[in-house]
Amino acid sequence: TPRVLLDCDPGHDDAMAIIAAARYADLVGITTVSGNAPLERTTYNALVMRALLDLDVPVHAGSTQPLLGPVG
């Protein structure tokens, strides 16, 4: 079973990725970034998914913007 640290911007698609990782991998943590929603919202969504799936993994917020390149 692969160990996975999932870096995502949870909306509908990444919520499904969290479900798949929790089911088919050894999910060791979730990190969030801003994407189609601000970092606060994507982190909240990851925390909701963790609670819904009763996962015992850490969730950490990452960057509010791209590290390279323009925003937008």
Side-chain angles (χ1 to χ4, degrees):
T1 303
R3 292 182 56 135
V4 173
L5 173 63
L6 188 60
D7 184 51
C8 54
D9 62 339
H12 295 97
D13 56 341
D14 285 339
M16 296 303 294
I18 293 170
I19 293 169
R23 172 67 175 92
Y24 297 107
D26 177 13
L27 182 61
V28 297
I30 302 168
T31 58
T32 60
V33 295
S34 62
N36 292 333
L39 180 63
E40 296 79 22
R41 175 52 58 185
T42 61
T43 303
Y44 172 80
N45 291 347
L47 292 168
V48 167
M49 291 304 298
R50 179 179 71 177
L52 286 171
L53 298 170
D54 195 28
L55 299 175
D56 184 22
V57 298
V59 173
H60 294 283
S63 180
T64 59
Q65 60 187 16
L67 297 178
L68 298 172
V71 175

